[in-house]
Amino acid sequence: MPITRHLTKILPLLVVLAVASLVALAARSPLPSAEKLPEVGADISDLQPIVEQLNAEFAMRWKAAGIAPAGPAPDLQVLRRLSLALHGTVPSLQEIRQFEADSRPDRIDHWTRRMLADVRFADYFAERLARALVGSENGQFIIYRRGQFVDWLSEQLHKNTPYDQIVRTMISQTGLATGTPAVNFMTAAINDGDIDENKLTGKTVRAFLGQRIDCAQCHDHPFERWKQQEFEGLAAFYGQVQHTIAGIEDKTTQDGKPVEYEVEDRKTLEKRIVPVAVPFHSEWLPKTGTRRERLASWITNSANRRFERSIANRVWGLLFGRAYLEPVDDMADPADDKRDLLDLAGEDFRVHNYDLRRLIQVMVASQPFHLASEFELPADAQRTPEAELAALKTAEAAWAVFPLIRLRPEQVIGSIFQSSSIQTADQNSHLLFRTLRLLQGGQFVNEYGDLGENELLDRGGTIPQRLIMMNGDLATGPTKANPVNAVGRIALFASTDEKCIETAYLCCLTRRPTAEEQAAFVADLNGKQGSERRDVIEDLIWILFNSTEFSWNH
Amino acid sequence: MEPLNRISDLNLQSALGSTLAASRRDVMRLAAGLGLSFLLPGLDTRAAQSRGTKRPKSLITLWMGGGPSQLETFDPHPGQKISGETTAIDTKLPGVQVAHLLPHMAEQVHEMCLIRSMVSKEGDHERGSYLLKTGYRPDPTLVHPSIGAIVAHETPGSGVEIPQFISILNAQWRSRGGFLGDDYDPFKLLDPRQTLQNMKAKVETARQSRRLRDLDVVESAFRNRRRIQSDATLHKQTVERALTMMTSEQLKAFQAEDEPKEVRAAYGDTPFGVGCLIARRLVEVGVRSIEVNLDGFDTHAKNFSGQETQARIFDPAFAALIHDLKQRDLFDSTVVLWMGEFGRTPTINAVAGRDHWPTGFSAVIGGGGFRSGLVIGETDPEGKKTDPVDPIEIHDLYATIFKTLGVEYAKEMTTPIGRPMALCKGKPIDRLLA
């Protein structure tokens, strides 16, 4: 990839230049006040009833389990969570200053609306959703353009296209991978030149119904309801899709004969025709349209609880780092007699025209997103390590404490870029995101370890990741002082040692240092001038980048 | 792929930070002086230095990605219609021939066992690779660990300061640690001809030690009131292990250029050849499992030239590896396995290609307690019968490897979702073992 290679070489320089010009710009104009920044999404007052319902649901759950929820997290910590979830980076120093100057009592709700209006949200969230839809591999370039698919999805998020409409387009779109980017949902499942109906079927049910029926391809599901026959009936909806020179098409006849979906019986090895069939609620299935259009209508039918529950579960997962029900794509069948959080949030999402922004606003406004990640046992609790661990697990399972979740590779590199540039990287976010995407194409993310589709599985860090963070050029480059980055500017302009340390902490960890931390670094800085002083600040940034706190959401 | 280190050179306008490799003694002295909690364990090379059967055993897997053709490698049917352009040559095993593309292996194959009757239920690359690497079919509810991860998990070597499971060169479907955890994902060496990335601290030793001392201050602040969660991240331990690796003498195992010219020439001047040579060096320092990947066997068109290109790469390297291990008395303690996700059809298609063939393909195994010179299975010379004589399934082959490596393969593990799962569900094939 020679073009990519050249771009990757000059991009850091471009980023530096862009940041430099922004710095010059910012020096001349004061920070715009937060109240004047553009906001999108539902009115905050509109959200109140549904947020109260969710909070009541949690309050009941905690009461029933005898759990005292953690206290409230500081607002800055909530801002960090929000920025990591919606923009994939920590907030910039500029944003922190604006946020702190914002005295509105519901400022977090306003900042949610503000971050949703930012193009960084569409770009970052599209990438995260794309993992569930087409995976993280780049596949065969001729027929499958992952980048174009993500761009298309990003555009839909930016326009706030209703989610059911996005899904219907993906399932039923015809055309070329390059011209109508939504068809890449189909072409991602091409195997040896043919559409793999089985792969598509498994993916469709996992992504849009939140359940796994893949095993029913060969045998009945061992503990859920799915039968092999049901799998085949669903796969038949993709049985007329063909990939030709014109791209993805639906062919009902070929050479004068109707196109049927045939499978080879695993026992008799004979071919048999499988008609289209849905596993439940066939009354949702329209009589007309292409097979794929009919399937898309059935999936997005407003009575289909699985559809709204599955996206609610996934969005919760992207906000908290852990899905509400795990695994994110293997939820139990919805209970007939009970409505849980996913039903409440899902219904609100549906009646508001499948509005993804609103769904995010509602979840962010709910109490669990605002709880501290510190956990303390009640005074009378047993204090053995096992008892403490068990109590923590119970609280985490009930969302009574904010979970510690390792940052995704894109969040780590995004935060490194952001921490080292003081200014919000929004005006040039496209540049930044192109950079990230190129890097993702085989560099930082690949090296750091891409979690692929299983990104919501919680796991610990690895040795190669630590080596990258401690010694890798991409991670350590921004710790070095230069006149336009945070490190250089802190060294040059901070008025006192304390200010200097505080600024570094705000840039990297979105908080101020504790008294002990302040004392330790003041001692290091004490009386140092020039290059010695710069070394200490570089060390400080390196240390903050390599802390647990930097690499984990909390 | 462009290495990372080019990028930030542009980004940096300061000429700061000379890169100095800290010697272990310096680090130890400073660590002791500062009372650092990021301590380094002592180096124990005794285990690594032993030879012969006393040595703890290792596994080297040569993974042939894409599906190597059995007919163009270890199961030729000369003179038959299905063999196309491929002829056969004699080996040192009386009556056993290999394809003419493997002159080097013809000299070494008598040290190994040939299995010509591997069978699998998966004919797709991703699913097939999963099955052949883990011994289990893909399961949407969990990821099984690959054999290399299990070996590293179950028989960790003492005194080994570098990762115990190393994967050399890129593979399309990577081996995974699966439910054993990310920690058991292989350490990746994407280009064996390049020096290892990210192994050197960016600042001199004294400054690095100060950084680590101050890192403790930040860690304590976060851990305060989050003790259980914070300890569960294992962040500190991972940092310590990375620091140990950075100053380990064992990193020299990655330097193939330290080998005499003749040795390097024998393996071949290809990334795969260098990878095989490094694999041998890694075995010497005690690494438990190494895989060397070679992609490019998926010859749906132009099968004969495609398989020949591949053979030119792996034939000298594979043969040199066997020879070299024998020379150094490491063969009895190193299992070597050659295999891909499936074989290729006996039928030659319209564009002179061969398609996927998961029934009746070849694997080669030897060393580490396996017998030599045994041939198992037989495929139909006319390519009509799908099923080979004496079919062998991968989980039984893996049980055999685990048995000779001393892994309790039938042991049940508890997966993250609480489902019990045996490390391997197969039964050892005792006739393969010496």
Side-chain angles (χ1 to χ4, degrees), chain B residues 43-50 159 250:
Chain B
L43 178 59
D44 173 14
T45 48
R46 274 165 303 171
Q49 279 160 357
S50 59
Q250 295 169 354

Side-chain angles (χ1 to χ4, degrees), chain A residues 304-422:
Chain A
N304 188 359
R305 282 168 69 195
R306 284 179 177 82
F307 179 61
E308 63 204 42
R309 284 171 59 83
S310 71
I311 184 68
N313 195 32
R314 186 167 294 279
V315 168
W316 185 275
L318 294 180
L319 294 173
F320 285 82
R322 215 180 82 204
Y324 188 77
L325 294 181
E326 290 191 290
V328 66
D329 54 4
D330 199 16
M331 300 152 64
D333 287 338
D336 288 334
D337 53 345
K338 220 177 79 202
R339 281 157 49 84
D340 62 6
L341 168 116
L342 297 180
D343 286 309
L344 294 173
E347 184 192 6
D348 180 76
F349 167 67
R350 167 171 37 85
V351 302
H352 290 91
N353 200 17
Y354 296 97
D355 181 350
L356 282 169
R357 285 176 182 163
R358 183 182 168 102
L359 181 64
I360 291 167
Q361 284 179 279
V362 167
M363 288 177 170
V364 167
S366 74
Q367 202 185 345
F369 198 79
H370 293 252
L371 294 181
S373 59
E374 284 103 335
F375 176 72
E376 275 182 310
L377 284 172
D380 57 341
Q382 223 194 327
R383 297 213 171 250
T384 65
E386 295 76 27
E388 283 184 65
L389 190 63
L392 173 70
K393 291 281 160 210
T394 312
E396 280 186 345
W399 305 97
V401 57
F402 196 89
L404 246 59
I405 301 286
R406 180 157 67 109
L407 296 188
R408 309 295 133 197
E410 319 88 79
Q411 291 173 317
V412 174
I413 185 66
S415 297
I416 290 172
F417 270 114
Q418 186 61 79
S419 305
S420 56
S421 77
I422 296 225

Side-chain angles (χ1 to χ4, degrees), chain B residues 59-377:
Chain B
L59 168 70
I60 297 178
T61 307
L62 307 182
W63 179 261
M64 306 290 113
S69 171
Q70 68 282 6
L71 286 149
E72 275 66 49
T73 55
F74 294 100
D75 190 16
H77 285 295
Q80 298 288 341
K81 198 173 157 227
I82 60 167
S83 53
E85 303 166 8
T86 306
T87 57
I89 50 175
D90 288 338
T91 66
K92 284 198 172 168
L93 267 183
V96 177
Q97 291 191 310
V98 295
H100 74 284
L101 304 171
L102 308 181
H104 297 91
M105 277 309 291
E107 301 291 315
Q108 296 294 339
V109 89
H110 61 282
E111 307 285 5
M112 309 288 286
C113 298
L114 277 187
I115 304 174
R116 289 171 161 171
S117 51
M118 292 301 298
V119 292
S120 150
K121 292 191 174 72
E122 302 289 354
D124 166 75
H125 292 291
E126 183 174 7
R127 297 179 63 87
S129 301
Y130 187 99
L131 172 58
L132 273 282
K133 284 184 170 191
T134 66
Y136 283 94
R137 296 178 76 178
D139 180 329
T141 63
L142 86 164
V143 179
H144 295 90
S146 74
I147 181 170
I150 296 175
V151 170
H153 185 263
E154 292 297 301
T155 60
S158 72
V160 183
E161 299 172 327
I162 60 179
Q164 300 272 1
F165 178 23
I166 294 177
S167 176
I168 302 177
L169 287 164
N170 211 358
Q172 193 174 5
W173 313 109
R174 293 227 177 91
S175 296
R176 301 276 296 272
F179 62 70
L180 298 177
D182 271 13
D183 254 10
Y184 290 92
D185 278 352
F187 180 85
K188 288 173 285 187
L189 177 66
L190 294 181
D191 185 350
R193 292 189 287 194
Q194 244 186 9
T195 43
L196 275 185
Q197 304 270 309
N198 308 333
M199 284 301 153
K200 285 181 180 165
K202 291 285 189 218
V203 293
E204 26 71 42
T205 312
R207 194 168 157 196
Q208 174 85 350
S209 303
R210 281 199 304 273
R211 285 180 166 190
L212 295 174
R213 179 198 63 198
D214 286 347
L215 179 57
D216 258 1
V217 178
V218 182
E219 290 301 280
S220 313
F222 186 66
R223 194 168 174 267
N224 181 31
R225 299 174 66 218
R226 289 190 195 92
R227 189 173 43 80
I228 317 166
Q229 300 108 298
S230 165
D231 290 352
T233 66
L234 298 179
H235 185 85
K236 190 182 159 99
Q237 287 85 335
T238 318
V239 169
E240 281 168 4
R241 286 167 63 199
L243 289 168
T244 305
M245 180 171 178
M246 280 159 58
T247 52
S248 175
E249 287 289 311
Q250 295 169 354
L251 288 180
K252 287 195 178 138
F254 290 100
Q255 296 169 9
E257 65 274 17
D258 292 354
E259 291 284 328
K261 213 168 147 192
E262 321 78 76
V263 176
R264 280 183 286 152
Y267 281 84
D269 185 21
T270 61
F272 181 79
V274 178
C276 287
L277 177 52
I278 290 176
R280 190 220 79 208
R281 290 173 64 92
L282 289 168
V283 165
E284 285 179 299
V285 299
V287 172
R288 277 292 166 271
S289 57
I290 304 112
E291 53 176 37
V292 193
N293 297 291
L294 180 61
D295 268 352
F297 284 91
D298 199 19
T299 51
H300 288 285
K302 295 190 185 160
N303 172 72
F304 299 95
S305 58
Q307 296 286 330
E308 183 177 358
T309 305
Q310 297 295 97
R312 284 203 179 139
I313 298 168
F314 81 77
D315 174 51
F318 188 7
L321 178 64
I322 298 169
H323 178 74
D324 211 5
L325 288 170
K326 291 226 56 128
Q327 290 281 315
R328 289 162 191 265
D329 199 11
L330 295 167
F331 191 67
D332 292 336
S333 60
T334 310
V335 175
V336 181
L337 170 65
W338 176 100
M339 188 175 65
E341 63 263 43
F342 36 62
R344 309 211 71 86
T345 49
T347 327
I348 301 164
N349 68 24
V351 286
R354 294 190 194 271
D355 302 316
H356 302 173
W357 186 253
T359 52
F361 58 103
S362 299
V364 184
I365 189 154
F370 275 82
R371 278 179 62 182
S372 319
L374 184 70
V375 178
I376 287 184

Side-chain angles (χ1 to χ4, degrees), chain A residues 1 127 134-148 150 184 187-188 437-438 440-442, chain B residues 172:
Chain A
M1 290 184 291
E127 174 57 43
V134 293
S136 57
E137 297 289 334
N138 277 321
Q140 293 166 272
F141 184 68
I142 309 279
I143 51 165
Y144 171 53
R145 303 289 170 92
R146 187 177 190 279
Q148 294 212 8
V150 178
N184 285 292
T187 59
R437 241 177 237 174
L438 285 172
Q440 189 202 356
Chain B
Q172 193 174 5

